[in-house]
Amino acid sequence: MFKLAYNGNFESLPITEVFSSFLGERLEKDSRTVYVDADLMALIGVRDLWKKYPDRVLNTGIMEGNMIGVASGLALTGFKPYVHSFAAFVTRRAFDQIFISAAYNKNTMHIIGSEPGIKQDYNGGTHMTFEDVAMMRTIPGAFIFDITDNAMLLSVLNATKDMQGIFYYRLPMSEIRKVYADGSEFRVGKGNILREGKDATIIVSGALVSMALEAAKLLAEEGIQVRVIDMFTIKPLDEPLVIESAKKTGIIITAENASVNGGLGEAVSRCVTENYPVYVKHVAVKEEFGEVGPESYLFERYGFTGTQLAEEVKKAIQLRSQS
Amino acid sequence: MESDNNLKAFANDIRIETIKCLKKRGFGHVGGCMSIVETLSVLYGSVMKYDAKNPQWEDRDYFILSKGHGGPALFATLALKGFFPVNWLDTLCEPKTLLPSHCDRLRTPGVDVSTGSLGQGLSVADGIAKGFKIKGKDNWVYVILGDGECAEGQNWEAAQFASHFKLSHVVAFVDWNKRQVDGYINDVMSLGDIEGKFKAFGWYAATVSGSDTEAIKTAIENAKKEHGEMPIAIVLDGVKGSGVPEFEEMFDNHFFNLDAELADKAIARLEA
Ligand SMILES: Cc1ncc(C[n+]2csc(CCOP(=O)(O)OP(=O)(O)O)c2C)c(N)n1
Ligand SMILES: [Mg+2]
């Protein structure tokens, strides 16, 4: 069960501390846990563990492809690897290694991609991955989680720690708005209804969840009631919840900090068209690359603010009422 | 050709403008900007063929900052050489800026290749050199790699390719500043003998002090005399954060919030 704790504030505890204490506990309790990074340990806060466990916490330096290969080999000798780099480099740069060395060999691997999409703000276009979700979705049986906040990260990591397969976690590391109360629990394949409404459903994930809640608030002031679903579990998608929402509200707006090509929106669309066709509008990055700038600018630039989302919802409702 | 004194002065100006630029933004990849200043001074002050008023000039030499996070140092160099006004440096990373943190050829006049995803620049340099060769041009392509960046295997694919195709007009500098994000290269992932590695791949290779403009210039001249058909690698033996002792001594000097007071102190010292 989860409890909503949203009031627009940022998390006070750095999410990297949630991750490093989880990892520290795994390393201590389970001698099969290993961690591999490609020169970004400092950012995710595990350098102390690197010192403490020189055998099982490894730094490859800047070699993402090699990192995935090494982690695959460790998996083949019975270890449970967690690997990390920026989302762009751990997926895009090493995708064939993830596909073949890890997935095709049926290895289990927990892949942490930090600062996905516009979360790369000042690092700009080369670091900004909008395509990671699409790539990872094509891996048969892979799991994809777009992490919203601290409570979700901890719960999802605990839920998956003894499972088998390829797990990809999109991990925001800065300016994270707190959505869930500490201790909230999340289930793989189960989306969360954050708000009820009958006029439309916003299906959203990760960095945009708080924006969707803002949009819902704005819309409520105008008498429009939207259901908001945090679909952090992009794969497996919570299909029953998507279908139920289609039936209940007749309109779905998806919103994601990722490319319109192959992301959450398309996953939802396929589910809807195959089961209960209704109008689905996608808010996502269109045929564009990333660019540099502060997060506040980028949210606006890509149409991700609460106000912009609310506008899209209104347009969708209008379009629907005309047809 | 600029005299060596002028190159030293130019390097000093680049360092000052780079610090000012990073100070305005308040943070950035300070360490890796500082350690390439002297090489940029030699390249743009004396070695390279370019036209600041016509950055796309077909007969220019090309430059690639493969360690794209050193962008601000390159931007300062280009501004001082008149590719664009120096006051653009105040816009680093602002919305719609033409100067993003990492090099972007579609935005910044004088930037030949977009970089930031490490490990790709040397291959692109190979392609440019091959293009020159096919066209019968005798232009050069210069590229700066980070020492941490050299861990990316693609660099060694590019080294093999350049050697096979006798791409003698590739000049690769390795900024051997001994550090990467997580600490010292030797603690993270030891790289071994960089000069020896390039030699083993069939390159002409030499090592010089990365903070000595005269030595860098001489190394390039000597290489061009002696390399025959081999591509050229010049290892820059240096210090991350170089030229500002406070930066050099900081343990995590890859990326940090640049204290305005410290920046002013460094600038004042360099201007004296
Ligand atoms: C493919 C890739 N992986 C990781 C990064 C993140 N990153 C940026 S700079 C850096 C360290 C670079 O070290 P080095 O090449 O030695 O550069 P310098 O010391 O000159 O700053 C890392 C890991 C990146 N930009 N690209
Ligand atoms: Mg270095």
Side-chain angles (χ1 to χ4, degrees), chain A residues 37-43 47 50 59-65 89 92-93 122-124 126-127 290-294 297 301, chain B residues 25 27 29 93-97 100-102 107 115-120 148-149 151-152 154 180-182 187-189 251-252:
Chain A
D37 201 306
D39 196 28
L40 291 175
M41 282 186 173
L43 278 74
R47 278 195 294 191
W50 182 29
N59 202 328
T60 63
I62 309 165
M63 359 168 128
E64 295 79 10
F89 307 131
R92 195 168 69 209
R93 197 54 178 287
Y122 289 110
N123 277 330
T126 53
H127 289 50
E291 70 174 60
V292 83
Y297 160 75
R301 159 78 177 76
Chain B
R25 180 74 275 145
F27 52 79
H29 296 94
C93 291
E94 279 179 4
K96 302 202 187 307
T97 184
S101 52
H102 296 71
R107 290 183 178 231
T115 51
S117 180
L118 293 167
Q120 305 193 15
E149 183 186 13
E152 289 285 5
Q154 184 178 343
Q180 49 194 115
V181 172
D182 284 337
D187 296 328
V188 176
M189 182 50 51
F251 179 70
D252 280 321

Side-chain angles (χ1 to χ4, degrees), chain B:
Chain B
M1 282 263 167
E2 301 259 345
S3 77
D4 295 333
N5 267 343
N6 286 346
L7 290 178
K8 231 173 158 169
F10 183 33
N12 201 52
D13 290 344
I14 297 172
R15 184 164 278 114
I16 290 167
E17 290 305 327
T18 306
I19 297 171
K20 283 188 190 163
C21 168
L22 291 163
K23 177 197 156 193
K24 176 81 199 322
R25 180 74 275 145
F27 52 79
H29 296 94
V30 183
C33 281
M34 294 297 107
S35 52
I36 58 175
V37 161
E38 278 72 17
T39 305
L40 289 169
S41 165
V42 173
L43 290 176
Y44 284 88
S46 138
V47 170
M48 272 172 57
K49 199 160 91 171
Y50 63 88
D51 177 359
K53 294 291 158 243
N54 180 15
Q56 298 298 318
W57 179 38
E58 272 209 25
D59 288 331
R60 73 186 184 283
D61 295 332
Y62 280 55
F63 174 73
I64 305 174
L65 186 55
S66 187
K67 40 168 270 189
H69 56 281
L74 176 59
F75 306 153
T77 308
L78 295 171
L80 287 167
K81 281 294 171 190
F83 281 80
F84 48 81
V86 172
N87 65 14
W88 282 23
L89 296 172
D90 286 343
T91 68
L92 186 77
C93 291
E94 279 179 4
K96 302 202 187 307
T97 184
L98 296 175
L99 306 182
S101 52
H102 296 71
C103 301
D104 189 328
R105 69 179 281 269
L106 301 181
R107 290 183 178 231
T108 314
V111 168
D112 286 319
V113 178
S114 300
T115 51
S117 180
L118 293 167
Q120 305 193 15
L122 192 55
S123 296
V124 179
D126 282 1
I128 290 167
K130 185 69 187 156
F132 288 154
K133 261 191 136 169
I134 296 167
K135 287 176 149 183
K137 292 181 126 177
D138 68 349
N139 289 77
W140 295 81
V141 51
Y142 300 90
V143 52
I144 300 182
L145 314 170
D147 49 0
E149 183 186 13
C150 285
E152 289 285 5
Q154 184 178 343
N155 288 299
W156 306 102
E157 299 177 16
Q160 186 173 342
F161 182 96
S163 179
H164 177 85
F165 281 104
K166 303 187 168 49
L167 300 179
S168 56
H169 280 39
V170 172
V171 181
F173 297 91
V174 178
D175 180 6
W176 185 30
N177 62 20
K178 327 290 187 295
R179 300 204 225 175
Q180 49 194 115
V181 172
D182 284 337
Y184 284 87
I185 303 268
N186 280 342
D187 296 328
V188 176
M189 182 50 51
S190 26
L191 178 60
D193 172 7
I194 308 170
E195 184 188 317
K197 280 188 170 172
F198 276 99
K199 281 183 172 154
F201 273 91
W203 287 48
Y204 172 96
T207 301
V208 289
S209 162
S211 56
D212 183 340
T213 48
E214 197 177 334
I216 297 167
K217 189 167 160 236
T218 308
I220 297 170
E221 287 164 359
N222 288 344
K224 287 185 177 178
K225 271 184 232 143
E226 295 162 15
H227 71 133
E229 292 188 310
M230 290 186 277
I232 295 168
I234 294 174
V235 181
L236 305 162
D237 183 354
V239 176
K240 197 155 175 169
S242 75
V244 179
E246 292 87 342
F247 298 166
E248 295 178 14
E249 284 155 20
M250 229 177 265
F251 179 70
D252 280 321
N253 70 359
H254 178 74
F255 179 101
F256 57 88
N257 293 329
L258 183 49
D259 176 62
E261 225 172 280
L262 171 56
D264 287 339
K265 209 168 103 184
I267 292 165
R269 220 186 290 131
L270 293 164
E271 280 175 341

Side-chain angles (χ1 to χ4, degrees), chain A:
Chain A
M1 278 299 290
F2 69 88
K3 221 176 104 202
L4 214 53
Y6 180 71
N7 58 16
N9 288 346
F10 292 122
E11 291 276 14
S12 47
L13 182 75
I15 199 166
T16 49
E17 285 185 27
V18 175
F19 180 75
S20 60
S21 71
F22 167 83
L23 183 67
E25 192 188 298
R26 294 319 305 153
L27 287 161
E28 193 180 314
K29 287 192 177 152
D30 182 355
S31 60
R32 292 168 306 162
T33 299
V34 289
Y35 175 87
V36 197
D37 201 306
D39 196 28
L40 291 175
M41 282 186 173
L43 278 74
I44 199 170
V46 301
R47 278 195 294 191
D48 289 345
L49 295 169
W50 182 29
K51 280 208 196 89
K52 190 167 172 194
Y53 298 98
D55 249 5
R56 286 188 289 138
V57 176
L58 311 174
N59 202 328
T60 63
I62 309 165
M63 359 168 128
E64 295 79 10
N66 184 53
M67 170 173 79
I68 301 294
V70 167
S72 300
L74 286 162
L76 287 169
T77 46
F79 291 95
K80 283 196 240 171
Y82 287 79
V83 303
H84 164 251
S85 181
F86 281 152
F89 307 131
V90 81
T91 58
R92 195 168 69 209
R93 197 54 178 287
F95 190 62
D96 197 35
Q97 285 81 2
I98 293 175
F99 206 91
I100 300 300
S101 302
Y104 192 72
N105 275 288
K106 229 170 175 27
N107 284 317
T108 287
M109 196 176 295
H110 298 270
I111 301 167
I112 292 126
S114 58
E115 303 288 47
I118 62 170
K119 300 300 292 183
Q120 281 288 348
D121 52 21
Y122 289 110
N123 277 330
T126 53
H127 289 50
M128 215 163 269
T129 170
F130 298 133
E131 63 291 335
D132 55 333
V133 177
M135 288 190 296
M136 296 301 287
R137 276 186 66 223
T138 64
I139 298 174
F143 297 78
I144 304 174
F145 307 107
D146 200 10
I147 300 298
T148 303
D149 70 0
N150 290 12
M152 181 189 284
L153 176 69
L154 184 60
S155 172
V156 170
L157 287 171
N158 273 312
T160 55
K161 66 182 192 308
D162 296 317
M163 291 171 63
Q164 291 186 349
I166 301 295
F167 301 86
Y168 176 51
Y169 312 83
R170 294 184 106 209
L171 177 69
M173 294 202 297
S174 54
E175 296 186 31
I176 298 166
R177 286 198 171 68
K178 189 175 188 68
V179 172
Y180 298 102
D182 295 341
S184 288
E185 283 183 17
F186 301 81
R187 276 164 51 202
V188 174
K190 200 78 204 74
N192 291 341
I193 303 169
L194 303 188
R195 187 178 172 124
E196 271 301 1
K198 58 175 183 6
D199 298 323
T201 303
I202 303 178
I203 300 183
V204 63
S205 68
L208 301 198
V209 170
S210 57
M211 296 298 164
L213 290 170
E214 290 301 327
K217 233 191 290 177
L218 292 171
L219 289 163
E221 285 165 15
E222 300 184 36
I224 300 168
Q225 304 301 334
V226 292
R227 177 182 242 200
V228 176
I229 293 175
D230 182 348
M231 192 59 83
F232 67 95
T233 168
I234 295 177
K235 192 178 174 180
L237 190 72
D238 187 348
E239 298 207 349
L241 185 56
V242 171
I243 295 163
E244 195 232 321
S245 300
K247 287 180 180 162
K248 181 174 167 175
T249 68
I251 298 174
I252 292 177
I253 293 91
T254 63
E256 59 193 307
N257 171 25
S259 170
V260 73
N261 297 312
L264 171 66
E266 286 195 358
V268 167
S269 275
R270 191 190 63 206
C271 171
V272 167
T273 50
E274 283 180 357
N275 293 285
Y276 192 88
V278 298
Y279 180 65
V280 180
K281 166 81 191 173
H282 298 171
V283 175
V285 177
K286 303 287 155 55
E287 297 291 325
E288 287 188 289
F289 293 103
E291 70 174 60
V292 83
E295 230 179 88
S296 55
Y297 160 75
L298 294 168
F299 270 107
E300 176 107 31
R301 159 78 177 76
Y302 290 102
F304 292 162
T305 63
T307 317
Q308 288 165 306
L309 286 183
E311 276 310 308
E312 292 298 336
V313 172
K314 280 197 280 186
K315 271 195 253 166
I317 292 175
Q318 217 168 27
L319 198 80
R320 175 80 195 303
S321 68
Q322 282 162 3
S323 63

